[in-house]
Amino acid sequence: MMASSYNAKDEDGHHSGSVSHGGAGTAKSKKPDNTAFKQQRLPAWQPILTAGTVLPAFFVIGLIFIPIGIGLYVTSNNIKEFEIDYTGVNVDSPCYTCANNFSWNSTTSCSCTVNFTLEQPFENNVYMYYGLSNFYQNHRRYVKSRDDRQLNGDATALKDPSNDCEPYRKIGVETIAPCGAIANSLFNDSLELYYVEPSGALNAVPLAKKGIAWWTDRNVKFRNPAGVDLPTAFKGTAKPVNWRKPVYELDPSDPDNNGFINEDFIVWMRTAALPTFRKLYRIIHKNQSSTSTLPSGRYVLNITYNYPVLSFDGRKRMILSTISWMGGKNPFLGIAYITVGSICFFLGVVLLIIHHKYDTRSNSADIPN
Amino acid sequence: MIRVRNFNNDKFSIYWPALAAANLNWFCDLGVDERRVDNRTIYIGHQSSLVNEDFIPPKFCDNRIVSSKYTVWNFLPKNLFEQFRRIANFYFLIIFLVQVIVDTPTSPVTSGLPLFFVITVTAIKQGYEDWLRHKADREVNKYQVTVLENGQETPKESENIKVGDIVQVKENETFPCDLILLQSTRDDDTCFVTTASLDGESNHKTHYTVPDIERDLKSLNATIECEQPQPDLYKSLGPENLLLKGATLKNTQKICGVAVYTGMETKMALNYQGKSQKRSAVEKSINAFLLVYLCILLSKALVCTTLKYVWQSKPGQDEPWYNKKTQKEKDTNLYLKMFTDFLSFMVLFNFIIPVSMYVTVEMQKFLGSFFITWDKDFFDPEIQEGALVNTSDLNEELGQVEYVFTDKTGTLTQNNMEFIECCIDGFQYKHRGASSELDGFCVTDGPVNKLQQKAGREELFLRALCLCHTVQVKESTEQDQREDNLDQVDGLRIDENVLQPPQKERGFIASSPDEIALVKGAMRYGFTFLGLESKTMKILNRNKDVEMYDLLHVLNFDPVRRRMSVIVRSGSGEMLLFCKGADSSIFPRVRQEEVERIRLHVERNATEGYRTLCVAYKRLSEEEYAQADAGLREARLALQDREEKLLAVYNQVETGMSLIGATAVEDRLQEEAAETMEALQRAGMKVWVLTGDKMETAKSTCYACGLFQRKTELLELTVRTLEDGERKREERLHELLGEYHKRAVQDAPPVKAGGTRVCFASNQDYGFIIDGASLSMVLNSSSESNMRSYKDLFLQICQNCTAVLCCRMAPLQKAQIVKMVKSSKGSPITLSIGDGANDVSMILEAHVGIKGKEGRQAVRNSDYAIPKLKHLKKLLLAHGHLYYHRIAHLVQYFFYKNLCFILPQFLYQFFCGYSQQPLYDAAYLTMYNICFTSMPILAYSLLEQRISIEDLIEDAALYSENAKNAMLRWGLFLYWTGLGAFHGLVFFFGVRFLFSNPALQDNGQVFGNWSYGTIVFTVLVFTVTLKLALDTRHWTWINHFVIWGSLAFYVFFSFFWGGIIWPFMKQQRLYFVFANMLSSVSAWLVIILLILLSLLPEILLVVLRNPRDPHIVPLLVPDKHD
């Protein structure tokens, strides 16, 4: 009735100046679309976790985790591991002299021998690790002190590696190859293992050098620079300061295991996560003829002691270990699984009780109303 | 002060009221240099006759409006500068710069890329908005206007208008700049103007030409002296000759005016300022949480730095032979090194405060607001419009409202006035539509004697209704209407009231719908207002004779006086003053013996919810008129205190009147007003009605919409109750406040305990009524010491009442109340809803403003506009609730996920010699917040419906669950932080114990530090995503897509990132790390274990919490929709 009279709309600023500019939604004269999305009515699944749904889940988790945990624990326990510290801190330890008379300048290497006894035979492949403690391979300055382009065989990076390699980048005018702190501090003790036959004769245990590095590292990530042979390829570069031999002479016994693709080198270049770590050194392959790879008995470990660790209060170990499907010996996973499984199971029980109590309570509360 | 000097006939000068004080302020405020004179001289038409004097054409700015902020050239520097003024952006910039300058653990890319992304997106958005402004500016600036140059009409673009140009404006055009009206085509030298786009008032204002100006503008040679431009718009909308830019010419064919202020110096431009930024409570919470996290960040960095130097002090640790420092490092000063170390740690841990949170919050708000505009329930088929969102910053505040301030007229009621009845000399007349008798009158009470006299009074009353108003007839349709009239009269309606013209065709324009209702009411009873032509009002009376009245003066309506009057001279030369206004303002001004007869009717009408007005008149003798005329003229031309002087004259003239009668106009309630109000109250909101109406009317409206119930005990603090006793008002006020306080606050049992404010049936409901006069006494009590306590008492009483009614409020008082409540203890969130220009101040003041009615200009002052009051229910209960829930969860989740992201990195420092070695690869650091975990939470924060919309609307009490920022309380924040810390610890130490023997592959090979980080990161990404999945109660396909998609993307990306030897990268840290990790059974097992262990407490809590939740539906229920 009054529609014509009160004309507010006419005055709606047509050309009201610059003051009005569109916000999130400017005037819409059309009816909004009636789509499920725009009306917030998309079909939806609305799960609600209740004691009823979660209870079985708890029991199931418990029932799955506990056996896995037990399996893991047993597996871990079945792994045989032998560890010996040969640092030579104590006066009575065999490597004491080597450790304390260490000098970077000495040309002759110091050797020491450690005797040990394996109580139990080691079956299947046995893996020989060296372990270092208080060695911060994960220090930032250390971790970044490498040039992966150089290690990948890049010719320009070989001559002009990244500045990250400082202060192990150049000696005078010659570039260091491989550059950087990691490469420079390559672990260079050599370990030899001898089985002491009941007769007293020393029987050298064959130690395989291949297969200790990741396949992709050895074949893709690390590559030697192009050249007729390695010495020419590395021509014009210097060996790292602390090295005794150039990179292309790392393994005199196997020409394919030299240069950047030397597996010991590759293993070392994969920086460890924690200051106490182990790295795979050699593999003792299963002996086809005899039952155990390393029969129980006395052994001699011959160490060429080149690697000083006492200056930073470090320790060196040699570890012999068998391996299972879960890797090396580590009871943690098994215990964790058993614990979590038990907690789930226990919670399941508790929840069941609460659930029952609550149900009865709510039922009795509902009835009077 | 504006002074026109006419050189042709140098006989007059006009003074306009100077706003001297304001002028001074303007200089101070804007810091304009003082050499500028405070007057400007304008040569009309650029004609200077003073050739002998040094004529320096004064330099004024051109008429270009520039609302845009940037130009193409300054966009980049200016925009960047403004963006980096935001504290968060600046922080990230600093972090980025530190990364560039100092040797830091992570590359500058990790923080530079997200920052660049954010800055770019914001710059694009702002650039687009500025482009829109440019476009709007251009439209205004290129607008074609007609300028008179030497008498010739020359078309010009608006921006080229110079001060002094004579501009011609036609009907319905807006003024291109501030003009002094020189000439109008109307005979009476007036023009009509609406200032709708300036102040939202859509009524027509009359402006007058400068008197005694030459008719021929070509030969006009004059100067104008006026004050320098100043922004005071609201004091009075310019003197009567000043036409403001932005106003629209109405009902006048053509005017000519001289430009006095142009471009950025016009009142509109000076008044234009962006709305003040309203900050939501969520934003404040974010800032508080940020502060906490900043403290965590700083302390982490501090702890690490300290420990680093402690650790290094042991021999052999700082620089073992295998890890020598570079020469540069050795040369650096120790303290400088410490400082850079500290910065490095900051950089390493800076991801704890993510850039992406701002982006996600902004995106959530921006995208989320579309759901309001898209909602078809807000669509009103009548006006073909839906809801409007003017700001998306306040979405979540809609879910937090504690106080709703609503206007009555037009908001609770429809503002669709209908004349219901009138009362003349104590006799009630009710119009009964077609079945009316006795000339459209139906005498329902009162004796039938003295008919003769009564008829005279009736006619006087109806004449008063016809004359005493500012209504205008739409001229364009007048001709048609007359024809229509004739048609109708000859037609079927002949048996009805013959003289009743059809109402629909007659267009009236007025500032208030009441006036139209009255004029139409009079029309129904046989008196038709035909229009105002050159100060002559024409009325068609019952006998179809046209009566002419000269309109001598209009004593304008204003909310303080609450009445308006006209002085007219009838055809017979009689001087009459008609006055209509609120009863309270009329009764004291009429003879008291007349009052009692009418008061009864007025009060009864008021309790029925009608709006009542009283009509009085007065015969003026020639002397009286001359005196009044002189007084009014003098006051209008007064230089100072013009308003006060006018008011005094008005008061003087409007005395000794005689009361004729009263009118009742009905204003119907809005659709579903009662249901909406009830729902709001059940949701725990306090509804306050702020109205300019009188108490009885407002009270009845409150009863009608259920704000007051029968059992509600009303506490009244009005002039009436204050004047009850014999004592002074102040004492009475003190006494009443004390008493009410005792009743409502002290005796009432404490309800506030649980934070929910649901009123229980057992409690006595209180309603509080206060009027404007009492309120100003409460707020501005004379004695300083009392004022505080009065205000507090008042607030406390109000807070314990279910509904508060404030009547007789001036617009400013409305805003005052809102401000008072807003700043009270706990700073509650307020919402104002209103539709009129008088609500603008209140809407601007409240946290959330809503404009009720359609298509009003002032809609732009509101943050949200909905077509009808009933839509408020869904807007608050459903949209508000969901928005709040979503954004609160978003915020908590963001802090959580970044804490458990960074905590392992912090813990790793203890194992890497505090060397700032990052645990994760740079790609993971960068992508974590951008790609891997951002989409699920964004989808959640847009789509989550913890409780379905239907339930939310149905059960209003659910709204109060979120009251008082419930989801962002410190307790909950601590819970989330604790959860994040727990997850971080689990991730780190779980993997740490696994790595006590790094030989994790079945071929005896070992994992390095990057594998360590990758395992932690994998657990992290899966856990935080699954945590969100656990929280998601509303799984649409989008949720499924982004949650599972994110995880799949993470896996895919990791393969891809580690699958290639990336050229140009110095380090190939992650080469095949991820693939090798997956080849290890132990890694799989540990990932599954840690994810499960992390989520275990969460699942447990969900299960334990659920039974208390009354809204659980058993087991997995597919959605009902579709």
Side-chain angles (χ1 to χ4, degrees), chain B residues 984-1002:
Chain B
L985 287 170
V986 166
F987 302 158
F988 183 79
F989 284 106
V991 182
R992 161 74 187 78
F993 287 123
L994 183 76
F995 264 72
S996 54
N997 182 352
L1000 292 169
Q1001 283 186 289
D1002 57 0

Side-chain angles (χ1 to χ4, degrees), chain B residues 314-471:
Chain B
K314 278 203 285 176
Q317 300 283 44
D318 184 25
E319 200 181 2
W321 65 264
Y322 59 84
N323 192 9
K324 295 281 187 207
K325 290 177 184 172
T326 57
Q327 198 57 42
K328 211 174 100 206
E329 279 176 295
K330 280 183 197 158
D331 293 345
T332 321
N333 174 289
L334 175 72
Y335 296 103
L336 186 67
K337 247 182 92 63
M338 278 180 161
F339 182 65
T340 54
D341 272 327
F342 178 75
L343 288 181
S344 295
F345 280 119
M346 288 270 291
V347 166
L348 188 65
F349 303 142
N350 89 82
F351 298 92
I352 201 169
I353 299 173
V355 199
S356 60
M357 186 173 72
Y358 288 91
V359 187
T360 315
V361 166
E362 292 276 309
M363 289 228 300
Q364 193 268 352
K365 286 182 167 179
F366 178 70
L367 297 176
S369 62
F370 280 111
F371 282 120
I372 293 180
T373 40
W374 282 338
D375 196 322
K376 70 176 167 54
D377 290 350
F378 292 156
F379 182 74
D380 190 30
E382 256 173 56
I383 54 165
Q384 291 289 308
E385 259 180 74
L388 199 68
V389 179
N390 288 334
T391 172
S392 55
D393 289 342
L394 299 171
N395 291 343
E396 67 275 4
E397 297 279 274
L398 295 176
Q400 288 287 294
V401 176
E402 283 181 65
Y403 289 89
V404 175
F405 298 98
T406 165
D407 176 40
K408 188 182 80 70
T409 315
T411 309
L412 282 177
T413 60
Q414 289 180 344
N415 204 16
N416 227 350
M417 303 296 169
E418 200 175 344
F419 187 87
I420 294 295
E421 60 176 47
C422 59
C423 153
I424 305 170
D425 276 349
F427 303 113
Q428 189 188 6
Y429 295 80
K430 206 165 209 156
H431 180 64
R432 283 196 181 157
S435 63
S436 58
E437 18 182 283
L438 198 75
D439 296 334
F441 280 88
C442 173
V443 182
T444 51
D445 62 0
V448 201
N449 58 359
K450 290 191 269 179
L451 258 174
Q452 196 60 34
Q453 189 202 339
K454 221 176 77 185
R457 296 288 279 188
E458 270 171 31
E459 296 204 346
L460 183 67
F461 177 77
L462 292 173
R463 279 196 189 95
L465 288 191
C466 276
L467 294 173
C468 182
H469 55 71
T470 53
V471 174

Side-chain angles (χ1 to χ4, degrees), chain A residues 325-360:
Chain A
W325 49 271
M326 58 168 281
K329 192 182 183 91
N330 192 352
F332 163 72
L333 262 185
I335 295 172
Y337 261 83
I338 293 172
T339 316
V340 173
S342 312
I343 291 175
C344 279
F345 202 82
F346 172 72
L347 282 176
V349 173
V350 171
L351 280 180
L352 198 66
I353 296 167
I354 293 176
H355 189 53
H356 265 275
K357 266 195 168 173
Y358 169 74
D359 264 8
T360 50

Side-chain angles (χ1 to χ4, degrees), chain B residues 72-215:
Chain B
V72 178
W73 308 113
N74 71 7
F75 176 74
L76 208 62
K78 198 172 170 186
N79 183 263
L80 285 182
F81 174 72
E82 294 204 339
Q83 287 206 47
F84 286 121
R85 273 194 351 196
R86 277 186 70 178
I87 193 78
N89 283 345
F90 187 69
Y91 163 78
F92 295 119
L93 180 71
I94 291 294
I95 292 286
F96 174 71
L97 290 180
V98 167
Q99 279 179 306
V100 171
I101 297 161
V102 183
D103 167 46
T104 53
T106 52
S107 92
V109 177
T110 51
S111 67
L113 200 67
L115 184 66
F116 177 75
F117 177 74
V118 171
I119 297 288
T120 316
V121 166
T122 317
I124 288 172
K125 185 178 152 228
Q126 289 179 349
Y128 174 70
E129 282 175 356
D130 204 56
W131 179 73
L132 287 181
R133 278 194 287 265
H134 269 290
K135 227 172 75 173
D137 284 355
R138 208 159 38 237
E139 213 171 273
V140 175
N141 290 335
K142 301 287 177 200
Y143 184 72
Q144 286 295 329
V145 293
T146 313
V147 172
L148 292 182
E149 274 176 3
N150 301 320
Q152 302 295 312
E153 290 185 11
T154 0
K156 242 188 183 182
E157 281 171 356
S158 167
E159 62 178 334
N160 294 330
I161 296 176
K162 285 193 263 319
V163 170
D165 278 353
I166 297 172
V167 181
Q168 203 179 61
V169 181
K170 296 197 183 66
E171 182 166 8
N172 288 332
E173 284 181 342
T174 50
F175 302 116
C177 58
D178 291 354
L179 300 172
I180 294 286
L181 180 58
L182 296 177
Q183 221 175 55
S184 164
T185 50
R186 288 182 72 100
D187 306 334
D188 53 359
D189 284 342
T190 58
C191 74
F192 294 102
V193 156
T194 65
T195 52
S197 50
L198 287 173
D199 60 359
E201 288 179 30
S202 61
N203 60 335
H204 287 198
K205 297 192 176 66
T206 315
H207 287 250
Y208 302 96
T209 54
V210 175
D212 305 318
I213 205 93
E214 288 221 1
R215 294 274 77 171

